[in-house]
Amino acid sequence: MGELLREWRERRRLSQLALSIEAEISTRHLSFVETGRSRPTSDMVLRLCEHLEVPLRERNGLLLAAGHAPVYPVGDLDTSEMSEVRAALRQVLTAYEPYPALVVDRGWNLVDANAAVGMFLAGADEDLLVPPVNVLRLSLHPRGIAPRIANLGEWRAHVLGRLRRQADATADPGLELLHQELRGYPCDQPEPDVERPAAGEVAVPLRYRHEGRDLAFISMTAVFGTPLDVTLAELAIESFLPADPATAEALRDS
């Protein structure tokens, strides 16, 4: 457990002194925990995890490594216990129409989507649409959405940068592998090293060609504010709102 804790502390770029001050424990005690000379209580593990912003799934892993039972449940969206969650997600997705919105899990696999997302799926290779559909793979794959993204280099840099930060924050090896895979996809446009706004832009737009029209979207992400379930904590709603009046009108008329 101590080695895992040290890895998370170093990942957050905190010294033992800084973490001990934040968690209100002695540096000596923290050192003993990291070296295995002291076995922390479950409350201590959770306190340290809170200050290190460890994701709920990994908190359960740290508890197990310390000899304690996990405390965060891992729900199944298909069960009756999660019916209210499914209903809430569906209500949000429907409310976004006619604008595209979808729900993804931590690995960027599609969980649910509204009808407007269909415009992004049109023309994609059927192999990429076999569940579980990974939306990042679908967006950057040359047989997916990529050929219809007008600013592919800019959007690709945004997606890869975001995925890189998520992988660093969660230490999820699956996200590391996904990042490596997506980096290997071809791109015939220059990719900026640093995201810089163009004149009049406040966010990186997705410029998408659909049925002879050039559409522009701004993406937004929503998550549950106070999740105590691992599955719930790892869900995110990705919505695509019109970035200009022409796109808004085209979506309303579709």
Side-chain angles (χ1 to χ4, degrees), residues 5-252:
L5 179 63
R6 183 171 62 255
E7 289 178 0
W8 277 106
R9 178 177 60 76
E10 292 175 348
R11 184 176 291 273
R12 299 298 185 245
R13 298 181 180 178
L14 289 174
S15 65
Q16 284 188 345
L17 176 60
L19 178 57
S20 62
I21 291 174
E22 289 188 13
E24 298 182 343
I25 63 174
S26 71
T27 307
R28 177 184 176 86
H29 183 40
L30 178 58
S31 177
F32 278 16
V33 170
E34 288 191 356
T35 58
R37 297 176 63 184
S38 177
R39 178 174 177 268
T41 64
S42 59
D43 287 343
M44 177 61 68
V45 173
L46 293 175
R47 184 194 304 181
L48 292 171
C49 286
E50 182 70 22
H51 288 283
L52 290 172
E53 298 181 354
V54 177
L56 299 190
R57 184 179 297 276
E58 283 69 29
R59 294 187 191 193
N60 278 345
L62 283 166
L63 285 167
L64 284 170
H68 304 295
V71 299
Y72 298 103
V74 182
D76 185 339
L77 285 175
D78 293 330
T79 62
S80 59
E81 290 79 8
M82 298 287 273
S83 60
E84 292 185 2
V85 172
R86 295 197 307 272
L89 292 171
R90 172 47 50 181
Q91 182 178 9
V92 172
L93 293 177
T94 302
Y96 271 111
E97 293 178 347
Y99 308 144
L102 48 89
V103 181
V104 295
D105 61 20
R106 186 166 91 169
W108 289 92
N109 297 306
L110 184 65
V111 175
D112 198 359
N114 64 14
V117 169
M119 73 170 63
F120 291 142
L121 306 182
D125 192 285
E126 291 185 2
D127 290 344
L128 297 172
L129 300 179
V130 176
V133 177
N134 187 279
V135 299
L136 295 191
R137 179 180 294 116
L138 179 65
S139 67
L140 298 185
H141 199 284
R143 291 185 286 106
I145 296 173
R148 290 176 293 283
I149 299 178
N151 61 331
L152 179 59
E154 182 182 36
W155 184 253
R156 172 186 162 92
H158 164 70
V159 168
L160 291 178
R162 181 177 177 184
L163 182 57
R164 174 75 270 164
R165 291 188 293 273
Q166 183 185 1
D168 289 342
T170 61
D172 187 333
L175 295 179
E176 293 278 359
L177 291 174
L178 180 60
H179 184 267
Q180 293 177 20
E181 176 189 340
L182 300 188
R183 283 185 60 192
Y185 291 169
C187 180
D188 58 2
Q189 297 181 14
E191 300 177 43
D193 294 329
V194 179
E195 294 177 350
R196 297 175 182 269
E201 288 185 351
V202 295
V204 176
L206 169 63
R207 303 193 182 280
Y208 187 70
R209 304 185 187 97
H210 179 64
E211 296 182 346
R213 291 179 171 180
D214 292 332
L215 307 178
F217 297 92
I218 292 177
S219 64
M220 293 183 62
T221 303
V223 297
F224 284 92
T226 55
L228 294 176
D229 177 276
V230 172
T231 301
L232 197 59
E234 295 177 349
L235 294 178
I237 299 174
E238 297 287 323
S239 57
F240 295 85
L241 306 179
D244 56 43
T247 298
E249 182 179 358
L251 294 175
R252 287 195 297 266

